[in-house]
Amino acid sequence: MRKILFTLFLLGFTFSNAQAPEKWSSSDIYSEIQKLNFLGSVLYVAAHPDDENTRLISHFSNEVNARTAYLSLTRGDGGQNLVGPELREQLGMIRTQELLAARKIDGGEQFFTRANDFGYSKTPSETLEIWNKNEVLSDVVWIIRKFRPDVIINRFDHRTPGSTHGHHTSSAMLSLEAFEMAGDASKFQDQLELVGTYDPKRLFFNTSPWFYGGTEAFEEADKSRFLTFDTGTYFPMKGLSNPEIASLSRSQHKSQGFGSTGSRGKQMEYIELIKGEMPTDETNIFDGIDTSWNRIQGGKEIGSILTKVQENFDFEDPSKILPELLKAYHLIQDLQDKHWREIKTREIKDIIYASSGLYLEAIADRASVTPSEEVTIKLEAINRSAAQVKLISVELVPNNTTIEPAENLDNNSSWNENLEFRLPENADFTNPYWLKSEGSIGMYLVDDQNLRGLPQTPLQNKAIFKLEINGEPITFEKPILYKFNDPVSGETYENFKVIPKAELNLHEDILVFNSSESKTAEITIQANQADLSGTLKLKSEKDWSIKPAEFKVNIAPKGGTQTFKFSIFPPEGQSEITLNPVLETENNNYDQNVISIDYDYIPGQNLIQKSKLEMVKLDIKKKGEIIGYIAGAGDVVPEAIRQMGYKVDMLNPSTINANSLKKYDAVVLGIRSFNIIEDLKFQKKQLFKYVEEGGNLIVQYNTNRGLVTDQIAPFNLQLSRDRVTNENAEVGFNLPEHELLNSPNKLGSSDFKNWVQERGLYFADSWSAEFEAPLYMNDPNEEPSSGSLLVARYGKGYYIYTGLSFFRQFPEAVPGAYRLFANMISLGK
């Protein structure tokens, strides 16, 4: 699917969903010069994407001009997804790009640790037991040592374990420990081969009235260690207030439904000093810290030059500052302080590039290639200023293909050249680095220390342009991209990707068998090279039978496909296996599929992973034949219901009525339906009438905030934030003889084994006498909750509310989840 490219200009702010090159205005250049002249840095620390305070990040980046970054310990893999069906690792990929989009807007940088968001945790002790505490702590120390912040700000309070998400408190606790350890050479000594020790100056907690339970308690709090400042600044050059920028940034968290409306006027923020010396100026976190060029040896002359650059900046002709910028650039290369030399070199090169009107581009003639394949790269270079610019050479990496034009770039006269570029046979696939190796439930496996903390895989395929500007040698790196003209959107960019020579794509990731009858596994092989031939094999395991065991494959054209059908025969008893198809060729074996994640607001991404087919033989019975499903916030439940043997119709909630629903044995509402479907505010009456006339309505979990209606059931039913996060928590039967637990499948404790991530969430905590609660469950040291599954007879039919996480269990082929859901559908039949 091609992307839709959209660009919104807001007086200096440019937002784009794809990899289009940034093009700075004069206002942007001036803002970057201000940041170039500030040598201070802030690191904001929290647990998840969307935890960050974008008002503070924007304030420090755009008002204070500090180098500002957000360290999110996780990539948010354990959350829910409002934009599509992706969960777990794929959701983490989406949320990573959402954070990068947010940072482009508020001006911050982005870091992560290897911690895997395994879902909601009630205590930091549980969190740090599932995470490898020492390894996550080492990542926080590593990022502090690399980023070298003067100030660290925690989003959460390390002193209040158990009062919020365990990940939240853990982020503050680990930040506090890392603050003390980063400067200690005895801690994580292996890092010191790559980076030096470092002591941050101050550690704060970003507090607010919310943490005190309300405004009244906050007003009475001891504020002797507080810094208070206004983040409501208006930026005339941007045409936006700081809170407006912050809301645009926060609104990038689309998968979590965090769209935010901007505000104007004063916006007070409060930070409490936890470690370090209290500033004398209680509105300035850098008070007493030299943030000028004087803080580094050899910086005084650079600062003097750049102060004049800032004072003499010409908004109509930014190129006038080039001679002085090039002097400063030359001096920066001689700095002994490696940290500041690298940072300020990157910053001033970007300013030189924009001020000179340079445009350098490397465009591939296709979006993706395979290792050892040759591709044509169209090179373009143009100088749009009076500066003397000479293009010395262009080198394509990897493989170091080089051209040396040694050509002067006259003002506004472009240079173009096509260059043939062959990727090496061992070229890495374009894939998230943290997903290349299999990790654990709590940690990603990343062996390369230099990759740890990075938001995404470093640029692999690039063009290195070597130039001389007014005689000063300077090099610019540009990504190799793919570009095409969309009839609607015009010029559209995509990432250039390296993919396997063959893809093995399964039509179904899971096959569920509820009888001895066979099912068909379809595998489509896509040839990403010409003349692909070999043998496709799908080997049986245990008592499963597969016919045939192999197929011969011959695909002549590049991009061609062939589909093969294997008949799978299950064993007699309940069984679960995972099969990995493989294509064996003369030179290589191929066993990977390519999952494309493509939304119009973030760059397209590929996840390349081992192709696998989950197969489950269930001891399962069902009643009824046809199900109506109203899609909620993205889940795979409809497909799971089909796998059980039902026919599923996807329903348009705006057109349903009780009469049209009569043909369905059950109607199922997807997760968060009453949160996101406005039509249900009115159509609930039709759903309840359907139940009253003999229907079976199953409502999956909704959050208790943001419901489109207060009446989600025909009787009183109140939702809460109650949940059971331990997926192994004991499940008890309040009503062991209840039909839901006995018909058509008799359930027992074994049906609640091997659940993943959690039991459920957003349980009901108050309900009328008409409801029955067949189950109870609880996390350790908590009282049992019976709100996970409620059923009420209404007229001739049944209404069911469940907070159980079927949407997580079905993709993992959890047998008991299928059996319980079959009973829910079959109720009353």
Side-chain angles (χ1 to χ4, degrees):
M1 179 179 70
R2 286 184 171 178
K3 297 179 186 301
I4 301 170
L5 180 67
F6 62 92
T7 307
L8 172 64
F9 295 99
L10 288 174
L11 297 179
F13 279 86
T14 304
F15 308 112
S16 170
N17 73 309
Q19 294 299 86
E22 292 187 27
K23 300 172 184 177
W24 290 357
S25 67
S26 292
S27 295
D28 295 325
I29 296 170
Y30 185 75
S31 295
E32 293 303 316
I33 292 171
Q34 291 178 304
K35 294 179 182 181
L36 182 64
N37 270 332
F38 192 93
L39 280 71
S41 51
V42 178
L43 180 65
Y44 198 89
V45 180
H48 310 106
D50 70 43
D51 282 345
E52 80 274 31
N53 184 336
T54 54
R55 289 188 303 272
L56 271 186
I57 291 174
S58 178
H59 168 79
F60 289 122
S61 177
N62 297 302
E63 170 68 8
V64 180
N65 293 312
R67 184 173 176 235
T68 309
Y70 174 43
L71 169 56
S72 175
L73 265 59
T74 76
R75 296 176 186 267
D77 325 70
Q80 288 84 52
N81 184 1
L82 293 182
V83 298
E86 296 87 358
L87 294 174
R88 295 301 307 150
E89 290 80 6
Q90 294 178 47
L91 176 58
M93 292 170 62
I94 291 172
R95 299 189 74 184
T96 294
Q97 291 301 320
E98 289 176 341
L99 270 178
L100 290 172
R103 298 294 81 80
K104 282 185 179 180
I105 292 170
D106 59 37
E109 299 178 45
Q110 185 62 52
F111 299 109
F112 296 96
T113 74
R114 288 168 289 160
N116 190 342
D117 178 4
F118 56 84
Y120 194 90
S121 175
K122 293 181 178 178
T123 65
S125 58
E126 179 191 43
T127 296
L128 297 174
E129 183 178 331
I130 296 175
W131 290 348
N132 184 322
K133 178 191 173 183
N134 194 59
E135 290 300 301
V136 180
L137 179 60
S138 77
D139 287 354
V140 181
V141 169
W142 166 253
I143 290 160
I144 292 173
R145 287 172 171 174
K146 283 196 70 178
F147 186 72
R148 301 174 76 84
D150 296 300
V151 176
I152 298 174
I153 302 175
N154 291 342
R155 182 69 181 103
F156 299 102
D157 192 345
H158 66 283
R159 299 162 295 193
T160 56
S163 63
T164 183
H165 196 323
H167 295 183
H168 292 169
T169 311
S170 294
S171 70
M173 294 167 64
L174 292 171
S175 176
L176 182 65
E177 287 191 57
F179 179 89
E180 303 283 3
M181 288 184 175
D184 187 343
S186 69
K187 306 298 183 184
F188 306 113
Q189 297 180 20
D190 55 323
Q191 297 179 4
L192 300 180
E193 298 177 8
L194 301 170
V195 69
T197 59
Y198 179 74
D199 288 302
K201 304 297 188 296
R202 293 168 183 144
L203 175 69
F204 292 92
F205 159 48
N206 181 196
T207 190
S208 71
W210 185 88
F211 287 97
Y212 285 80
T215 303
E216 185 176 340
F218 183 70
E219 289 177 350
E220 296 175 358
D222 178 9
K223 297 184 179 62
S224 60
R225 294 174 66 82
F226 280 26
L227 268 65
T228 303
F229 42 92
D230 180 13
T231 63
T233 309
Y234 173 67
F235 301 109
M237 286 197 303
K238 304 180 189 301
L240 294 167
S241 68
N242 189 70
E244 286 175 314
I245 296 170
S247 70
L248 290 169
S249 172
R250 189 154 185 78
S251 295
Q252 300 310 300
H253 296 297
K254 299 182 189 300
S255 64
Q256 302 302 292
F258 276 8
S260 175
T261 300
S263 63
R264 289 142 294 279
K266 289 186 176 181
Q267 183 73 59
M268 305 308 295
E269 287 288 344
Y270 309 90
I271 55 176
E272 177 188 359
L273 184 70
I274 303 297
K275 290 283 185 179
E277 184 178 343
M278 186 71 180
T280 303
D281 181 351
E282 295 182 0
T283 64
N284 180 12
I285 63 169
F286 290 105
D287 183 50
I289 300 172
D290 189 351
T291 57
S292 73
W293 279 95
N294 294 331
R295 79 179 291 172
I296 53 176
Q297 185 178 354
K300 185 176 181 179
E301 184 179 356
I302 299 169
S304 177
I305 293 170
L306 292 177
T307 297
K308 292 178 182 177
V309 166
Q310 187 171 328
E311 291 172 348
N312 298 324
F313 185 76
D314 188 336
F315 282 86
E316 293 186 359
D317 186 3
S319 67
K320 288 181 179 179
I321 62 173
L322 276 173
E324 296 302 305
L325 283 175
L326 290 166
K327 285 182 188 177
Y329 170 78
H330 186 83
L331 292 172
I332 289 171
Q333 306 317 298
D334 294 331
L335 289 174
Q336 296 301 305
D337 189 314
K338 180 183 177 184
H339 172 73
W340 285 111
R341 183 177 70 243
E342 291 179 351
I343 291 170
K344 294 304 175 181
T345 293
R346 288 196 300 269
E347 291 180 1
I348 199 169
K349 281 174 64 173
D350 288 342
I351 295 169
I352 290 170
Y353 182 85
S355 299
S356 62
L358 270 174
Y359 188 81
L360 307 173
E361 189 172 78
I363 299 298
D365 63 359
R366 72 206 76 157
S368 58
V369 295
T370 62
S372 77
E373 186 177 358
E374 190 170 79
V375 60
T376 300
I377 306 297
K378 180 182 178 182
L379 301 171
E380 180 182 354
I382 187 168
N383 161 35
R384 293 168 291 186
S385 73
Q388 295 180 356
V389 180
K390 186 175 184 179
L391 177 62
I392 306 300
S393 67
V394 184
E395 179 184 359
L396 300 181
V397 175
N399 232 11
N400 309 110
T401 303
T402 303
I403 186 173
E404 297 179 346
E407 184 168 326
N408 292 321
L409 300 179
D410 296 330
N411 189 354
N412 214 32
S413 179
S414 64
W415 171 88
N416 295 276
E417 189 71 55
N418 288 343
L419 195 58
E420 297 303 312
F421 174 52
R422 184 177 297 278
L423 269 75
E425 180 64 38
N426 63 350
D428 287 337
F429 299 136
T430 305
N431 213 24
Y433 73 85
W434 64 94
L435 297 178
K436 287 185 177 180
S437 301
E438 187 171 351
S440 66
I441 187 175
M443 294 291 294
Y444 287 118
L445 178 61
V446 181
D447 291 327
D448 187 343
Q449 180 68 57
N450 285 305
L451 290 175
R452 295 176 185 176
L454 297 180
Q456 56 188 342
T457 306
L459 189 62
Q460 302 294 316
N461 305 292
K462 55 191 174 184
I464 301 174
F465 293 82
K466 293 183 179 179
L467 298 90
E468 288 180 0
I469 302 179
N470 290 354
E472 180 70 33
I474 190 165
T475 299
F476 297 99
E477 290 187 359
K478 295 295 174 181
I480 296 176
L481 298 170
Y482 173 64
K483 181 172 69 173
F484 64 91
N485 184 71
D486 185 275
V488 175
S489 302
E491 185 178 60
T492 303
Y493 288 83
E494 289 184 5
N495 285 329
F496 175 71
K497 306 178 184 74
V498 181
I499 58 177
K501 294 181 179 180
E503 299 176 31
L504 278 63
N505 297 309
L506 292 157
H507 288 215
E508 306 285 353
D509 295 327
I510 298 174
L511 288 178
V512 177
F513 298 77
N514 58 2
S515 72
S516 59
E517 294 182 5
S518 67
K519 287 196 173 187
T520 300
E522 291 190 43
I523 302 174
T524 294
I525 296 180
Q526 177 170 312
N528 295 323
Q529 65 171 28
D531 300 318
L532 178 70
S533 62
T535 304
L536 174 64
K537 295 183 178 181
L538 187 60
K539 296 179 181 179
S540 63
E541 293 186 13
K542 297 182 181 178
D543 298 325
W544 294 74
S545 175
I546 301 175
K547 296 180 181 180
E550 60 185 45
F551 284 100
K552 292 298 181 183
V553 177
N554 288 286
I555 306 175
K558 178 183 176 181
T561 62
Q562 268 188 287
T563 298
F564 303 90
K565 297 181 179 181
F566 292 88
S567 295
I568 313 289
F569 297 85
E572 286 298 320
Q574 188 161 300
S575 177
E576 303 169 56
I577 63 169
T578 300
L579 300 183
N580 299 106
V582 60
L583 174 64
E584 298 178 356
T585 71
E586 184 177 351
N587 299 316
N588 287 293
N589 291 342
Y590 300 99
D591 62 357
Q592 295 170 309
N593 68 343
V594 179
I595 299 172
S596 295
I597 300 175
D598 206 352
Y599 290 95
D600 62 5
Y601 68 99
I602 54 176
Q605 304 173 83
N606 280 349
L607 174 58
I608 300 171
Q609 61 181 13
K610 195 169 185 177
S611 186
K612 64 179 182 179
L613 174 62
E614 304 279 358
M615 299 201 299
V616 184
K617 169 63 189 308
L618 297 178
D619 177 14
I620 184 173
K621 302 178 181 66
K622 69 179 185 69
K623 297 178 182 179
E625 297 297 332
I626 182 169
I627 308 300
Y629 198 95
I630 296 176
D635 61 56
V636 294
V637 173
E639 182 52 42
I641 298 173
R642 290 189 184 100
Q643 290 276 8
M644 285 189 278
Y646 290 100
K647 181 181 184 298
V648 179
D649 289 345
M650 302 304 294
L651 305 179
N652 182 345
S654 65
T655 60
I656 61 172
N657 60 67
N659 189 55
S660 68
L661 297 177
K662 283 183 178 179
K663 65 179 180 179
Y664 296 113
D665 294 293
V667 172
V668 182
L669 271 60
I671 59 176
R672 294 193 181 186
S673 293
F674 278 108
N675 293 123
I676 67 169
I677 303 175
E678 287 290 331
D679 284 328
L680 291 183
K681 184 187 301 183
F682 311 102
Q683 295 292 66
K684 65 185 179 185
K685 294 179 180 179
Q686 296 299 321
L687 291 171
F688 298 159
K689 186 177 180 183
Y690 157 73
V691 175
E692 189 175 22
E693 294 177 353
N696 186 0
L697 179 64
I698 300 171
V699 178
Q700 297 179 83
Y701 95 89
N702 289 266
T703 63
N704 61 343
R705 292 183 182 179
L707 292 167
V708 299
T709 174
D710 292 333
Q711 188 183 8
I712 68 169
F715 305 111
N716 179 51
L717 176 67
Q718 301 298 318
L719 305 183
S720 71
R721 297 182 64 83
D722 293 349
R723 61 181 74 205
V724 173
T725 61
N726 186 334
E727 63 270 29
N728 300 311
E730 182 180 354
V731 177
F733 293 179
N734 285 322
L735 304 170
E737 303 304 319
H738 197 284
E739 186 177 352
L740 270 183
L741 306 179
N742 291 277
S743 177
N745 303 288
K746 188 169 182 60
L747 303 182
S749 59
S750 62
D751 289 293
F752 294 93
K753 290 182 178 179
N754 301 318
W755 283 48
V756 297
Q757 185 162 324
E758 63 201 2
R759 290 294 188 196
L761 66 172
Y762 293 100
F763 294 173
D765 65 350
S766 174
W767 53 87
S768 66
E770 286 83 359
F771 282 101
E772 295 177 300
L775 302 178
Y776 69 87
M777 59 191 70
N778 59 277
D779 279 319
N781 303 315
E782 292 188 359
E783 291 298 316
S785 169
S786 297
S788 65
L789 181 63
L790 298 173
V791 57
R793 187 71 184 260
Y794 180 61
K796 298 177 182 179
Y798 290 91
Y799 172 95
I800 297 172
Y801 175 82
T802 180
L804 295 171
S805 297
F806 291 102
F807 72 103
R808 296 199 189 279
Q809 312 315 314
F810 289 150
E812 301 299 327
V814 177
Y818 283 94
R819 284 163 49 83
L820 175 54
F821 211 89
N823 283 9
M824 291 161 57
I825 290 174
S826 303
L827 185 63
K829 302 294 183 295

